[in-house]
Amino acid sequence: MKDKFEKLSNVGKNAKEFVEKSKGTLVKTVDQNNDGKFDIKDVSVIAGNVKDIVQKNAQTIKETVDTKVSEMELKVLQPVFLETFNSQDFFVPKFIKISGRDKRYAENDSCKKSIGYLSNPKGIRLLNIFRDSVEASELSFYPDYGGEFYYMDPSDSKKYIVLEEYFNYLKQVRINELQMVAQDLGAKHFRVTYMEENRSFLGKKATKGVDLHKVINTELNQSSIEKKYVTAEIAAEMEFLGHAPKMPKLQYMKYDPSINGLIEMRMKEYPLVHQKFMLKLSNTSGLKESEALRIDATLKSMKVGSNMTILKEAQNESKRYLEYEIDF
């Protein structure tokens, strides 16, 4: 019994010491002003610390939310900044719109330094450049940047032509280039004639009592397409004294097989005296009918009023030719 009593006494003593130590540890833990006791002042300090933690967490949450909102805005607005525009990884679209700085970009802190933005109306990639940032882009625009819609020059990715003048402009610069080719090759005479193609079907006429559908289905394969060219104008003609040829520097006709063949024969001093061939304008225009269709759809979706359709112009371009005649 004595042993049991001593063991119980030791347990009680140990428990008391544990409580005293725990009490001291607790006091040290909650004693915020280091005065050796836990009182109302310590409660105030703890409350202040909790407030600071809550405020810091709230600030962190706000910053995180602001960052997410900003990222979402950038994805929606798709601003283009000068450093992005000038990077090698940025692909400048062929189709450009020039307009005033939109309110969404002027008043948004994330977009204030942008020079424009990207959009994708009707499946065509469009670069919208703010008029106050055109010079910073270092792109050139013909005749100036006072217009609205422009398309890339097929021979110069830094140059854009106002949409209304696109095909007329390219017609003239290609005529000028053909003149330069004649001069460099030492021609004595050259003429460029602008022509348009008029197509008509030649086939047998359907007779009375014959199934018209059957006639069409059988005769179309036998019919031929007659091509007639209407001379619109002599676009350029000149005579020279003639001289030894030098290699022309081509820009718009760089990949035309007829022009390259002419240059090759002349530079190799073949006995070339006279050459005449037709150059189809749509082969070097750079704006195909499929692209013109998307542009028209885009302009319509933007409710842009215009008397011309780009598709119609592209279709007409496929019927236009330059007849090139040169004498040495």
Side-chain angles (χ1 to χ4, degrees):
M1 288 293 291
K2 184 178 180 181
D3 292 338
K4 289 183 179 181
F5 179 76
E6 289 178 353
K7 288 181 179 180
L8 289 173
S9 297
N10 290 334
V11 170
K13 182 179 180 182
N14 291 337
K16 183 178 180 182
E17 291 176 355
F18 175 76
V19 170
E20 291 296 330
K21 289 180 180 180
S22 299
K23 180 180 178 182
T25 302
L26 179 61
V27 170
K28 288 180 180 179
T29 301
V30 298
D31 182 15
Q32 298 295 310
N33 57 3
N34 297 318
D35 61 356
K37 57 183 178 179
F38 175 65
D39 51 23
I40 190 64
K41 294 180 180 179
D42 295 312
V43 173
S44 299
V45 174
I46 291 173
N49 291 339
V50 171
K51 182 180 179 181
D52 289 341
I53 292 172
V54 171
Q55 288 178 340
K56 287 180 180 179
N57 287 339
Q59 181 64 28
T60 301
I61 292 172
K62 182 180 183 301
E63 291 174 356
T64 302
V65 170
D66 288 345
T67 300
K68 293 296 182 183
V69 170
S70 178
E71 289 176 355
M72 290 178 63
E73 286 181 339
L74 292 177
K75 286 182 179 180
V76 172
L77 298 176
Q78 297 188 72
V80 175
F81 300 94
L82 191 59
E83 54 270 25
T84 304
F85 181 82
N86 290 331
S87 69
Q88 294 181 348
D89 297 330
F90 184 76
F91 171 70
V92 182
K94 293 183 177 181
F95 194 30
I96 282 181
K97 179 186 178 185
I98 297 179
S99 59
R101 187 172 291 272
D102 192 293
K103 184 178 180 181
R104 296 173 300 168
Y105 298 87
E107 297 180 357
N108 190 310
D109 291 336
S110 301
C111 301
K112 282 184 177 179
K113 294 183 178 180
S114 61
I115 65 168
Y117 63 95
L118 289 170
S119 59
N120 194 43
K122 298 298 178 180
I124 189 169
R125 192 164 180 257
L126 177 65
L127 174 61
N128 303 264
I129 296 182
F130 300 134
R131 204 171 296 278
D132 60 17
S133 300
V134 170
E135 293 183 4
S137 73
E138 296 185 351
L139 297 175
S140 62
F141 295 88
Y142 175 86
D144 51 39
Y145 58 83
E148 187 174 13
F149 292 96
Y150 296 79
Y151 200 79
M152 183 186 290
D153 186 310
S155 70
D156 187 354
S157 61
K158 292 286 187 180
K159 185 175 183 179
Y160 286 76
I161 306 161
V162 69
L163 207 54
E164 292 86 349
E165 294 294 326
Y166 185 83
F167 292 106
N168 286 333
Y169 172 82
L170 289 181
K171 169 191 167 185
Q172 190 56 53
V173 294
R174 282 174 288 188
I175 290 171
N176 293 343
E177 186 157 292
L178 290 175
Q179 177 174 310
M180 179 271 296
V181 168
Q183 289 175 317
D184 287 346
L185 292 182
K188 292 182 179 180
H189 171 262
F190 86 95
R191 178 167 55 236
V192 179
T193 307
Y194 174 68
M195 308 179 78
E196 292 191 10
E197 178 184 334
N198 182 20
R199 296 184 180 186
S200 61
F201 285 99
L202 295 178
K204 297 179 180 180
K205 293 182 179 180
T207 57
K208 187 176 180 180
V210 178
D211 188 339
L212 181 59
H213 293 288
K214 186 179 291 185
V215 170
I216 293 174
N217 291 332
T218 57
E219 294 295 335
L220 275 179
N221 290 330
Q222 300 173 7
S223 298
S224 61
I225 298 176
E226 181 184 34
K227 292 184 179 181
K228 293 182 179 180
Y229 298 98
V230 178
T231 301
E233 60 179 345
I234 295 176
E237 185 172 17
M238 196 171 290
E239 293 184 356
F240 309 97
L241 293 175
H243 57 77
K246 66 177 183 179
M247 179 63 73
K249 294 181 180 179
L250 299 178
Q251 183 175 351
Y252 294 94
M253 300 290 186
K254 185 181 295 184
Y255 302 107
D256 189 279
S258 298
I259 295 297
N260 281 293
L262 170 66
I263 293 172
E264 184 179 359
M265 286 189 290
R266 179 62 177 161
M267 294 305 295
K268 289 185 177 180
E269 298 184 0
Y270 281 83
L272 182 65
V273 178
H274 176 80
Q275 181 81 317
K276 182 178 180 180
F277 49 80
M278 303 281 282
L279 300 169
K280 190 173 184 178
L281 289 180
S282 61
N283 289 344
T284 52
S285 70
L287 206 171
K288 304 303 179 185
E289 290 184 25
S290 58
E291 188 78 352
L293 181 62
R294 286 195 291 268
I295 290 176
D296 276 349
T298 298
L299 297 178
K300 186 177 180 180
S301 69
M302 293 180 172
K303 298 180 180 180
V304 177
S306 177
N307 295 326
M308 65 174 286
T309 67
I310 306 305
L311 177 60
K312 185 66 175 179
E313 287 296 308
Q315 290 171 338
N316 289 338
E317 186 79 346
S318 67
K319 301 174 186 177
R320 295 167 179 163
Y321 295 80
L322 292 177
E323 182 185 71
Y324 191 44
E325 187 172 7
I326 188 167
D327 297 286
F328 298 98

